[in-house]
Amino acid sequence: MTSCKPGNEHIRKPDWLKIKLNTNENYVDLKKMMREKGLHTVCEEARCPNIHECWGERRTATFMILGAVCTRACRFCAVKTGLPNELDLAEPERVADSVALMNLKHAVITMVARDDQRDGGAGVMAETIRAIRRKNPFATVEVLPSDLAGDYDSLKTLMDAKPDILNHNIETVRRMTKRVRARATYDRSLEFLRRAKEMQPEIPTKSSLMVGLGETWEEIIETMDDLRANNVDIMTIGQYLQPTKKHIAVQKYYTPQEFGELREIAMTKGFSHCEAGPLVRSSYHADEQVNAAARERQRRGEAELAPQA
């Protein structure tokens, strides 16, 4: 395994983290459409390393609703922090129109944390799901909300809109949570995921873990166990990349081989799907994840119904 860096010494980014730039027609078209519609994407705001692949090659994007200013200041995240603007109640329709224009089969909707709102923004996210359903009845919808400050009436508002996947990120291991995340807690994220599954048992739940922040291998495995104990179906594991010098520093770069081993361990734990790799993010290849998870659920159902020898 690659070693952690001593003290504050800078460690060089390895070759496997080199990003292929692709500013082709798809990329330019998507960027123009987002600006014309007044929409934000987490791809841009969080400086996602996969933006050129997703926009340029796959023609997919993750919409970020409720503005571009977050009420929290997590030490890993590049999204702006401050006092957000008033809610834009026309945003759900614009997102749905864009999903239709892009002819998406799978739409991913994330959000900034809106602790200034009583429902944490759940109502707008729920309306975005419904708007996409009206205008794109054959598209599946994945949502990635904040923890909604632990307000489970707000979570019910969201789950009643019946997203196809509920994705809420644990982000890091228990020991590192207070240092890495703002306001969120490890146990509240686990409870959020558990309650979402209790409210709508048929809807897959999903969570993402960043590595390279100073966690141990054993803590990663413990996090997998905690997610499975709360009935999380899908897991993604990716390398943390420091967005600016103001953010928490990278302590270790995991190798592709280590990510492969983590994926194998996750699958033995009972996840229906696990995406793990240096550039994997929570919405990376999300369309493939929903299909793979559906196939795995079908396989397990058939196995349970099969006559016992």
Side-chain angles (χ1 to χ4, degrees):
M1 297 182 185
T2 55
S3 59
C4 297
K5 66 179 182 178
N8 293 319
E9 181 185 340
H10 176 75
I11 53 176
R12 187 175 167 222
K13 191 179 293 185
D15 289 342
W16 60 77
L17 281 169
K18 289 182 179 178
I19 299 165
K20 178 183 176 184
L21 301 183
N22 189 348
T23 52
N24 62 14
E25 186 177 349
N26 280 341
Y27 180 94
V28 173
D29 286 349
L30 282 180
K31 188 157 191 162
K32 181 181 178 184
M33 184 186 73
M34 295 298 175
R35 298 298 79 80
E36 288 176 347
K37 292 286 186 181
L39 297 174
H40 303 282
T41 68
V42 75
C43 321
E44 297 170 287
E45 302 297 338
R47 304 184 186 184
C48 179
N50 302 309
I51 186 170
H52 290 274
E53 177 188 353
C54 294
W55 286 31
E57 297 176 24
R58 301 175 68 90
R59 198 172 172 83
T60 60
T62 298
F63 298 92
M64 188 172 76
I65 64 171
L66 296 160
V69 181
C70 186
T71 54
R72 301 184 186 181
C74 296
R75 295 191 64 202
F76 68 89
C77 184
V79 174
K80 297 173 188 174
T81 301
L83 184 64
N85 295 326
E86 292 294 318
L87 294 184
D88 179 359
L89 299 182
E91 187 174 42
E93 295 296 328
R94 293 202 311 278
V95 171
D97 288 341
S98 298
V99 170
L101 282 171
M102 293 171 68
N103 194 27
L104 294 183
K105 294 181 180 178
H106 184 69
V108 183
I109 314 298
T110 187
M111 61 179 286
V112 291
R114 291 297 303 254
D115 296 313
D116 59 314
Q117 298 295 313
R118 178 174 292 182
D119 70 348
V124 172
M125 182 169 266
E127 183 51 39
T128 303
I129 297 169
R130 289 189 287 266
I132 293 172
R133 296 262 192 259
R134 288 193 298 269
K135 297 185 176 183
N136 310 272
F138 299 109
T140 52
V141 184
E142 176 175 335
V143 294
L144 205 172
S146 73
D147 60 15
L148 305 177
D151 186 317
Y152 298 111
D153 288 335
S154 299
L155 176 59
K156 187 175 186 306
T157 295
L158 181 57
M159 297 307 291
D160 284 349
K162 299 285 185 76
D164 292 280
I165 292 184
L166 184 284
N167 181 355
H168 174 69
N169 292 339
I170 197 76
E171 306 291 11
T172 188
V173 301
R174 181 185 294 275
R175 177 176 58 86
M176 300 290 298
T177 296
K178 190 172 182 180
R179 183 182 178 205
V180 172
R181 303 173 74 189
R183 302 190 191 178
T185 72
Y186 186 87
D187 287 315
R188 188 160 74 190
S189 285
L190 289 175
E191 184 178 5
F192 186 93
L193 289 158
R194 176 178 59 79
R195 291 207 184 199
K197 177 64 76 173
E198 289 172 352
M199 291 175 186
Q200 300 287 351
E202 75 284 0
I203 295 178
T205 51
K206 173 180 170 183
S207 194
S208 184
L209 178 71
M210 300 177 293
V211 295
L213 289 156
E215 70 291 323
T216 67
W217 189 266
E218 292 72 22
E219 286 174 320
I220 297 173
I221 307 306
E222 178 187 351
T223 304
M224 291 182 186
D225 289 334
D226 288 341
L227 291 172
R228 284 300 300 137
N230 287 275
N231 297 315
V232 174
D233 302 290
I234 302 169
M235 185 178 190
T236 60
I237 309 171
Q239 173 69 50
Y240 167 68
L241 299 174
Q242 184 180 14
T244 73
K245 292 181 179 179
K246 296 179 181 179
H247 291 82
I248 191 168
V250 176
Q251 298 296 313
K252 168 184 165 72
Y253 287 112
Y254 286 71
T255 67
Q257 292 75 21
E258 288 173 309
F259 279 109
E261 185 176 348
L262 286 172
R263 182 190 180 281
E264 290 180 7
I265 293 171
M267 294 304 291
T268 65
K269 299 284 185 184
F271 290 98
S272 62
H273 185 75
C274 177
E275 193 90 32
L279 295 178
V280 166
R281 296 297 180 264
S282 58
S283 57
Y284 185 64
H285 292 187
D287 53 337
E288 296 177 3
Q289 293 170 29
V290 69
N291 293 332
R295 289 193 298 270
E296 179 63 16
R297 288 199 308 275
Q298 182 180 2
R299 185 193 66 78
R300 289 180 182 175
E302 290 172 350
E304 290 175 1
L305 294 172
Q308 300 296 315

